[in-house]
Amino acid sequence: LKSLQVAQGKAKTVRDEAGAKVAAAQRELNEAKQATDDLRIVKSSIEAKVASTQKDLDKTFVLNLVRKFELSGQIDKLNQAIKEQDKKIEKAAKVEDKYLQALNKQQAYAQKQGEIADGIVQEATKAGNKIKESAEAKSAKLLQDGQKQAAAATKSVEGKIKNLLRDADALEKQYK
């Protein structure tokens, strides 16, 4: 029983450690996804600024060349920022993919550790059952031996009682 409890404790420890690694990998993946989402939000914001600036450019009077040149420059800078953001998003997506692969590996590892833990408990259960069966067999043998000894002692005592009764009867007849 004690060995089974120890095995169950070890199995729980193995499962808990594997579960902690899976949880850590999941947190890292979630953080990477959040970073990628944040970059996409920034890109959307820049794209909205490009659209707004383009609208202003389209509304600007044809002969207002300074304003048109200024707005065109802003659009070019914003488009460059979008390209930079795309590169960051691409890198973040790669990082996210690596974290996803790490999570999958940790989940597979946790699965294997769970199987190992199950094996530990099964082995301890088998060992415990063998010990129990052995103890029950020894107990049954001792009980059987005890019953035989008790029967032999009872028979011996009964024989002695018969002899004493016979001797008592003989003495009674002698004194009558």
Side-chain angles (χ1 to χ4, degrees):
L1 182 65
K2 191 171 188 174
S3 64
L4 179 59
Q5 290 172 340
V6 169
Q8 287 172 333
K10 286 181 183 179
K12 182 180 182 327
T13 299
V14 166
R15 285 188 184 102
D16 289 349
E17 287 174 1
K21 288 180 180 181
V22 168
Q26 184 66 55
R27 277 191 304 277
E28 289 171 345
L29 176 60
N30 290 343
E31 289 171 7
K33 283 182 177 184
Q34 185 61 50
T36 304
D37 290 345
D38 290 347
L39 291 170
R40 287 188 176 119
I41 290 170
V42 170
K43 179 184 174 187
S44 294
S45 173
I46 295 170
E47 288 172 335
K49 287 180 185 177
V50 167
S52 172
T53 306
Q54 184 64 49
K55 204 178 216 182
D56 286 349
L57 178 63
D58 292 344
K59 289 180 185 178
T60 302
F61 184 66
V62 175
L63 297 177
N64 191 349
L65 295 176
V66 173
R67 178 73 177 143
K68 281 190 168 276
F69 181 73
E70 181 184 309
L71 293 173
S72 291
Q74 286 178 6
I75 290 172
D76 290 341
K77 286 180 183 178
L78 291 170
N79 283 331
Q80 184 61 35
I82 289 172
K83 287 179 185 177
E84 290 173 14
Q85 205 65 18
D86 283 337
K87 289 178 186 176
K88 289 178 184 178
I89 290 170
E90 187 178 322
K91 285 181 184 178
K94 286 179 183 178
V95 169
E96 186 178 324
D97 187 50
K98 286 181 182 179
Y99 281 122
L100 178 60
Q101 290 173 6
L103 174 62
N104 290 337
K105 286 179 183 178
Q106 287 300 330
Q107 287 173 332
Y109 173 77
Q111 173 98 20
K112 286 180 184 177
Q113 291 301 94
E115 291 168 3
I116 289 170
D118 291 342
I120 290 170
V121 172
Q122 282 179 337
E123 288 301 315
T125 301
K126 284 179 185 177
N129 287 341
K130 283 182 183 179
I131 291 169
K132 180 181 173 188
E133 288 169 6
S134 175
E136 286 174 349
K138 286 179 182 178
S139 174
K141 176 83 169 107
L142 288 173
L143 180 62
Q144 188 179 27
D145 290 347
Q147 287 173 340
K148 283 180 184 178
Q149 289 175 353
T154 301
K155 191 173 184 179
S156 172
V157 168
E158 285 175 351
K160 287 179 183 178
I161 290 173
K162 276 186 186 179
N163 287 338
L164 287 173
L165 286 174
R166 193 174 11 132
D167 289 345
D169 282 343
L171 284 174
E172 188 180 323
K173 283 183 185 178
Q174 203 177 35
Y175 288 110
K176 273 190 182 191

PDB file of all heavy atoms in Angstrom, residues 45-59 71 74-75 78:
ATOM      1  N   SER A  45      -3.513  50.655 -38.494  1.00  0.00           N
ATOM      2  CA  SER A  45      -3.548  52.079 -38.171  1.00  0.00           C
ATOM      3  C   SER A  45      -2.787  52.891 -39.226  1.00  0.00           C
ATOM      4  O   SER A  45      -3.255  53.954 -39.674  1.00  0.00           O
ATOM      5  CB  SER A  45      -2.947  52.298 -36.780  1.00  0.00           C
ATOM      6  OG  SER A  45      -2.824  53.661 -36.504  1.00  0.00           O
ATOM      7  N   ILE A  46      -1.624  52.388 -39.606  1.00  0.00           N
ATOM      8  CA  ILE A  46      -0.823  53.083 -40.634  1.00  0.00           C
ATOM      9  C   ILE A  46      -1.576  53.086 -41.967  1.00  0.00           C
ATOM     10  O   ILE A  46      -1.605  54.105 -42.674  1.00  0.00           O
ATOM     11  CB  ILE A  46       0.564  52.427 -40.784  1.00  0.00           C
ATOM     12  CG1 ILE A  46       1.372  52.586 -39.490  1.00  0.00           C
ATOM     13  CG2 ILE A  46       1.330  53.034 -41.949  1.00  0.00           C
ATOM     14  CD1 ILE A  46       2.655  51.759 -39.453  1.00  0.00           C
ATOM     15  N   GLU A  47      -2.188  51.955 -42.309  1.00  0.00           N
ATOM     16  CA  GLU A  47      -2.963  51.885 -43.556  1.00  0.00           C
ATOM     17  C   GLU A  47      -4.121  52.879 -43.538  1.00  0.00           C
ATOM     18  O   GLU A  47      -4.446  53.489 -44.566  1.00  0.00           O
ATOM     19  CB  GLU A  47      -3.467  50.459 -43.783  1.00  0.00           C
ATOM     20  CG  GLU A  47      -2.371  49.482 -44.173  1.00  0.00           C
ATOM     21  CD  GLU A  47      -2.827  48.028 -44.208  1.00  0.00           C
ATOM     22  OE1 GLU A  47      -3.813  47.682 -43.509  1.00  0.00           O
ATOM     23  OE2 GLU A  47      -2.171  47.243 -44.911  1.00  0.00           O
ATOM     24  N   ALA A  48      -4.730  53.044 -42.376  1.00  0.00           N
ATOM     25  CA  ALA A  48      -5.821  54.011 -42.256  1.00  0.00           C
ATOM     26  C   ALA A  48      -5.288  55.432 -42.461  1.00  0.00           C
ATOM     27  O   ALA A  48      -5.946  56.268 -43.105  1.00  0.00           O
ATOM     28  CB  ALA A  48      -6.494  53.888 -40.895  1.00  0.00           C
ATOM     29  N   LYS A  49      -4.088  55.702 -41.930  1.00  0.00           N
ATOM     30  CA  LYS A  49      -3.472  57.024 -42.136  1.00  0.00           C
ATOM     31  C   LYS A  49      -3.154  57.248 -43.605  1.00  0.00           C
ATOM     32  O   LYS A  49      -3.312  58.363 -44.128  1.00  0.00           O
ATOM     33  CB  LYS A  49      -2.197  57.158 -41.305  1.00  0.00           C
ATOM     34  CG  LYS A  49      -2.435  57.317 -39.826  1.00  0.00           C
ATOM     35  CD  LYS A  49      -1.124  57.437 -39.064  1.00  0.00           C
ATOM     36  CE  LYS A  49      -1.360  57.473 -37.571  1.00  0.00           C
ATOM     37  NZ  LYS A  49      -0.102  57.516 -36.806  1.00  0.00           N
ATOM     38  N   VAL A  50      -2.692  56.184 -44.300  1.00  0.00           N
ATOM     39  CA  VAL A  50      -2.409  56.298 -45.739  1.00  0.00           C
ATOM     40  C   VAL A  50      -3.694  56.646 -46.481  1.00  0.00           C
ATOM     41  O   VAL A  50      -3.705  57.552 -47.336  1.00  0.00           O
ATOM     42  CB  VAL A  50      -1.792  54.988 -46.296  1.00  0.00           C
ATOM     43  CG1 VAL A  50      -1.790  54.994 -47.825  1.00  0.00           C
ATOM     44  CG2 VAL A  50      -0.386  54.776 -45.775  1.00  0.00           C
ATOM     45  N   ALA A  51      -4.769  55.949 -46.165  1.00  0.00           N
ATOM     46  CA  ALA A  51      -6.051  56.201 -46.838  1.00  0.00           C
ATOM     47  C   ALA A  51      -6.529  57.624 -46.574  1.00  0.00           C
ATOM     48  O   ALA A  51      -6.993  58.318 -47.489  1.00  0.00           O
ATOM     49  CB  ALA A  51      -7.093  55.186 -46.376  1.00  0.00           C
ATOM     50  N   SER A  52      -6.393  58.059 -45.315  1.00  0.00           N
ATOM     51  CA  SER A  52      -6.817  59.411 -44.954  1.00  0.00           C
ATOM     52  C   SER A  52      -5.967  60.462 -45.674  1.00  0.00           C
ATOM     53  O   SER A  52      -6.498  61.455 -46.205  1.00  0.00           O
ATOM     54  CB  SER A  52      -6.708  59.591 -43.439  1.00  0.00           C
ATOM     55  OG  SER A  52      -6.940  60.912 -43.070  1.00  0.00           O
ATOM     56  N   THR A  53      -4.662  60.222 -45.695  1.00  0.00           N
ATOM     57  CA  THR A  53      -3.744  61.171 -46.354  1.00  0.00           C
ATOM     58  C   THR A  53      -3.994  61.184 -47.861  1.00  0.00           C
ATOM     59  O   THR A  53      -3.952  62.252 -48.503  1.00  0.00           O
ATOM     60  CB  THR A  53      -2.278  60.792 -46.049  1.00  0.00           C
ATOM     61  OG1 THR A  53      -2.119  60.713 -44.629  1.00  0.00           O
ATOM     62  CG2 THR A  53      -1.312  61.821 -46.591  1.00  0.00           C
ATOM     63  N   GLN A  54      -4.255  60.014 -48.428  1.00  0.00           N
ATOM     64  CA  GLN A  54      -4.553  59.932 -49.862  1.00  0.00           C
ATOM     65  C   GLN A  54      -5.829  60.704 -50.176  1.00  0.00           C
ATOM     66  O   GLN A  54      -5.920  61.394 -51.194  1.00  0.00           O
ATOM     67  CB  GLN A  54      -4.697  58.457 -50.292  1.00  0.00           C
ATOM     68  CG  GLN A  54      -4.912  58.263 -51.786  1.00  0.00           C
ATOM     69  CD  GLN A  54      -3.730  58.730 -52.614  1.00  0.00           C
ATOM     70  OE1 GLN A  54      -2.593  58.389 -52.328  1.00  0.00           O
ATOM     71  NE2 GLN A  54      -3.996  59.540 -53.644  1.00  0.00           N
ATOM     72  N   LYS A  55      -6.792  60.622 -49.274  1.00  0.00           N
ATOM     73  CA  LYS A  55      -8.048  61.353 -49.454  1.00  0.00           C
ATOM     74  C   LYS A  55      -7.773  62.859 -49.458  1.00  0.00           C
ATOM     75  O   LYS A  55      -8.308  63.590 -50.289  1.00  0.00           O
ATOM     76  CB  LYS A  55      -9.008  60.980 -48.315  1.00  0.00           C
ATOM     77  CG  LYS A  55     -10.450  61.151 -48.615  1.00  0.00           C
ATOM     78  CD  LYS A  55     -11.266  60.696 -47.408  1.00  0.00           C
ATOM     79  CE  LYS A  55     -12.519  60.027 -47.841  1.00  0.00           C
ATOM     80  NZ  LYS A  55     -13.353  59.622 -46.699  1.00  0.00           N
ATOM     81  N   ASP A  56      -6.918  63.298 -48.510  1.00  0.00           N
ATOM     82  CA  ASP A  56      -6.546  64.719 -48.449  1.00  0.00           C
ATOM     83  C   ASP A  56      -5.823  65.138 -49.728  1.00  0.00           C
ATOM     84  O   ASP A  56      -6.048  66.227 -50.255  1.00  0.00           O
ATOM     85  CB  ASP A  56      -5.651  64.999 -47.238  1.00  0.00           C
ATOM     86  CG  ASP A  56      -6.398  64.985 -45.923  1.00  0.00           C
ATOM     87  OD1 ASP A  56      -7.653  64.971 -45.946  1.00  0.00           O
ATOM     88  OD2 ASP A  56      -5.736  64.964 -44.863  1.00  0.00           O
ATOM     89  N   LEU A  57      -4.938  64.275 -50.205  1.00  0.00           N
ATOM     90  CA  LEU A  57      -4.186  64.562 -51.428  1.00  0.00           C
ATOM     91  C   LEU A  57      -5.132  64.703 -52.610  1.00  0.00           C
ATOM     92  O   LEU A  57      -4.982  65.628 -53.431  1.00  0.00           O
ATOM     93  CB  LEU A  57      -3.164  63.449 -51.695  1.00  0.00           C
ATOM     94  CG  LEU A  57      -2.323  63.585 -52.966  1.00  0.00           C
ATOM     95  CD1 LEU A  57      -1.455  64.847 -52.911  1.00  0.00           C
ATOM     96  CD2 LEU A  57      -1.452  62.360 -53.160  1.00  0.00           C
ATOM     97  N   ASP A  58      -6.099  63.794 -52.686  1.00  0.00           N
ATOM     98  CA  ASP A  58      -7.063  63.844 -53.791  1.00  0.00           C
ATOM     99  C   ASP A  58      -7.915  65.107 -53.733  1.00  0.00           C
ATOM    100  O   ASP A  58      -8.326  65.634 -54.776  1.00  0.00           O
ATOM    101  CB  ASP A  58      -7.970  62.602 -53.769  1.00  0.00           C
ATOM    102  CG  ASP A  58      -7.210  61.322 -54.090  1.00  0.00           C
ATOM    103  OD1 ASP A  58      -6.080  61.406 -54.626  1.00  0.00           O
ATOM    104  OD2 ASP A  58      -7.730  60.223 -53.770  1.00  0.00           O
ATOM    105  N   LYS A  59      -8.167  65.622 -52.544  1.00  0.00           N
ATOM    106  CA  LYS A  59      -9.000  66.818 -52.379  1.00  0.00           C
ATOM    107  C   LYS A  59      -8.190  68.107 -52.595  1.00  0.00           C
ATOM    108  O   LYS A  59      -8.770  69.165 -52.800  1.00  0.00           O
ATOM    109  CB  LYS A  59      -9.588  66.868 -50.969  1.00  0.00           C
ATOM    110  CG  LYS A  59     -10.660  65.853 -50.706  1.00  0.00           C
ATOM    111  CD  LYS A  59     -11.161  66.022 -49.280  1.00  0.00           C
ATOM    112  CE  LYS A  59     -12.158  64.969 -48.903  1.00  0.00           C
ATOM    113  NZ  LYS A  59     -12.597  65.103 -47.508  1.00  0.00           N
ATOM    114  N   LEU A  71       1.964  65.961 -48.885  1.00  0.00           N
ATOM    115  CA  LEU A  71       1.100  64.796 -48.670  1.00  0.00           C
ATOM    116  C   LEU A  71       1.662  63.549 -49.346  1.00  0.00           C
ATOM    117  O   LEU A  71       1.622  62.454 -48.781  1.00  0.00           O
ATOM    118  CB  LEU A  71      -0.323  65.079 -49.155  1.00  0.00           C
ATOM    119  CG  LEU A  71      -1.094  66.131 -48.352  1.00  0.00           C
ATOM    120  CD1 LEU A  71      -2.428  66.448 -49.021  1.00  0.00           C
ATOM    121  CD2 LEU A  71      -1.316  65.653 -46.926  1.00  0.00           C
ATOM    122  N   GLN A  74       4.361  62.220 -47.185  1.00  0.00           N
ATOM    123  CA  GLN A  74       3.798  61.515 -46.020  1.00  0.00           C
ATOM    124  C   GLN A  74       3.324  60.118 -46.409  1.00  0.00           C
ATOM    125  O   GLN A  74       3.554  59.147 -45.685  1.00  0.00           O
ATOM    126  CB  GLN A  74       2.633  62.320 -45.435  1.00  0.00           C
ATOM    127  CG  GLN A  74       3.051  63.547 -44.662  1.00  0.00           C
ATOM    128  CD  GLN A  74       1.842  64.336 -44.137  1.00  0.00           C
ATOM    129  OE1 GLN A  74       0.700  63.897 -44.257  1.00  0.00           O
ATOM    130  NE2 GLN A  74       2.111  65.504 -43.573  1.00  0.00           N
ATOM    131  N   ILE A  75       2.669  60.046 -47.577  1.00  0.00           N
ATOM    132  CA  ILE A  75       2.173  58.742 -48.047  1.00  0.00           C
ATOM    133  C   ILE A  75       3.351  57.797 -48.288  1.00  0.00           C
ATOM    134  O   ILE A  75       3.300  56.616 -47.919  1.00  0.00           O
ATOM    135  CB  ILE A  75       1.300  58.897 -49.315  1.00  0.00           C
ATOM    136  CG1 ILE A  75      -0.034  59.583 -48.945  1.00  0.00           C
ATOM    137  CG2 ILE A  75       1.042  57.557 -49.992  1.00  0.00           C
ATOM    138  CD1 ILE A  75      -0.900  59.975 -50.125  1.00  0.00           C
ATOM    139  N   LEU A  78       4.613  56.639 -44.977  1.00  0.00           N
ATOM    140  CA  LEU A  78       3.662  55.692 -44.388  1.00  0.00           C
ATOM    141  C   LEU A  78       3.735  54.332 -45.093  1.00  0.00           C
ATOM    142  O   LEU A  78       3.679  53.289 -44.435  1.00  0.00           O
ATOM    143  CB  LEU A  78       2.239  56.250 -44.431  1.00  0.00           C
ATOM    144  CG  LEU A  78       1.962  57.447 -43.509  1.00  0.00           C
ATOM    145  CD1 LEU A  78       0.601  58.058 -43.817  1.00  0.00           C
ATOM    146  CD2 LEU A  78       2.053  57.023 -42.055  1.00  0.00           C
TER     147      LEU A  78
END
